[in-house]
Amino acid sequence: MKLIDEEGRRLDGRRFDELRKIKIEAGVLHRAEGSCYLEWGGNKVVAAVYGPREAVPRHTQDPVKAVVNARYNMAAFSVDDRKKPGPDRRSREISKVTSEALERVIITDLFPRASIDVNIEILDAEAGTRCAGLTAAAVALADAGIPMRDIPVACAAGKIGAEVVDGEVKGGYVVLDLGKDEDNYGNADLPIAIAPRTDEILLLQMDGHLTYEEFEQALDLAMKGCHIVSKLQREALLNKYRPDLEENL
Ligand code: UDP
């Protein structure tokens, strides 16, 4: 499948450094302490935060800090072929790396023996759901008032359009934020999460093959994407809280 033309236009008309359309809303659920609804291209995600609350069962408690439990789940109707409900290898992996990324910015030692539970529900999936999920979770955590060093954010870059000639990989373009066909038929995907104030990397995964130079380009591009998405996260939080802030001035 031809994913990019000679002029550098991608299947959906984007340039190499363009994100899909993103919409973020903070505080959409009434029963959760904090929540977020996020659309990122064709992805639709809800994140809900509960806690800090006493971790149960008690053996899961850490006497010096809170435990962060992120749970990533794809709804059965979120993909083309109905997904069997319940956790699988992939969702366990994404839950684990998301928990670890969030744990690095949450000030967990304020809440010994507690758990902070972050539910990420993918309602519609179109590639890049781990980045969309983590980005939504970060807004939900801020909405819940959980103390954090920074508001984490995630974005991916990747490589598309390479050809195999006589067993050698030729050409290809490093691009921002792979869409579904780009993810399926592309050459590599590099999702990252960062703390945008310091650019500390909280998560980095890679699927496929990149040369060292391509890796550096993709990392740089994904970082730039993260900073754009970070602004949208802050705007979403301000949209919810600005009226209160203005009242208190
Ligand atoms: N996908 C799917 N069924 C699955 C898992 C994934 O159709 O059981 C699709 C879905 O659109 C997802 C994409 O494949 O967004 C890419 O999945 P990947 O594991 O690369 O994670 P993601 O890019 O969503 O973080």
Side-chain angles (χ1 to χ4, degrees), residues 9-23:
R9 280 237 178 243
R10 297 156 68 180
L11 286 179
D12 56 5
R14 283 186 289 155
R15 294 269 169 212
F16 81 95
D17 59 351
E18 274 183 76
L19 287 166
R20 289 172 286 178
K21 197 164 175 283
I22 297 173
K23 194 181 107 182

Side-chain angles (χ1 to χ4, degrees), residues 12-163:
D12 56 5
R14 283 186 289 155
R15 294 269 169 212
F16 81 95
D17 59 351
E18 274 183 76
L19 287 166
R20 289 172 286 178
K21 197 164 175 283
I22 297 173
K23 194 181 107 182
I24 310 179
E25 195 180 339
V28 291
L29 304 174
H30 292 109
R31 321 238 178 266
E33 254 110 15
S35 59
C36 172
Y37 173 68
L38 180 145
E39 289 180 4
W40 186 323
N43 295 309
K44 295 194 176 78
V45 183
V46 175
V49 168
Y50 295 85
R53 58 188 178 186
E54 188 183 0
V56 281
R58 289 185 84 177
H59 69 82
T60 61
Q61 295 181 355
D62 185 323
V64 294
K65 61 180 172 62
V67 180
V68 179
N69 290 320
R71 188 179 141 274
Y72 166 102
N73 183 54
M74 272 186 144
F77 51 79
S78 67
V79 292
D80 290 331
D81 316 311
R82 177 181 179 277
K83 191 195 159 287
K84 188 166 165 263
D88 53 15
R89 262 178 76 101
R90 176 178 170 276
S91 65
R92 282 200 189 91
E93 172 216 316
I94 298 177
S95 299
K96 179 174 187 289
V97 294
T98 305
S99 300
E100 287 166 359
L102 298 175
E103 208 171 60
R104 292 179 67 176
V105 288
I106 296 173
I107 307 176
T108 50
D109 49 8
L110 292 176
F111 309 106
R113 290 184 292 280
S115 75
I116 297 170
D117 301 312
V118 185
N119 295 278
I120 299 166
E121 296 291 327
I122 309 298
L123 306 176
D124 226 339
E126 206 189 65
T129 57
R130 74 194 64 207
C131 291
L134 196 148
T135 299
V139 173
L141 283 162
D143 182 43
I146 306 285
M148 293 189 280
R149 292 189 288 112
D150 202 347
I151 300 174
V153 59
C155 186
K159 182 181 168 188
I160 56 170
E163 280 170 32

Side-chain angles (χ1 to χ4, degrees), residues 4 8 10 14-18 173-177 221:
I4 188 160
R10 297 156 68 180
R14 283 186 289 155
R15 294 269 169 212
F16 81 95
D17 59 351
E18 274 183 76
Y173 297 80
V174 172
V175 299
L176 186 61
D177 184 27
L221 205 50

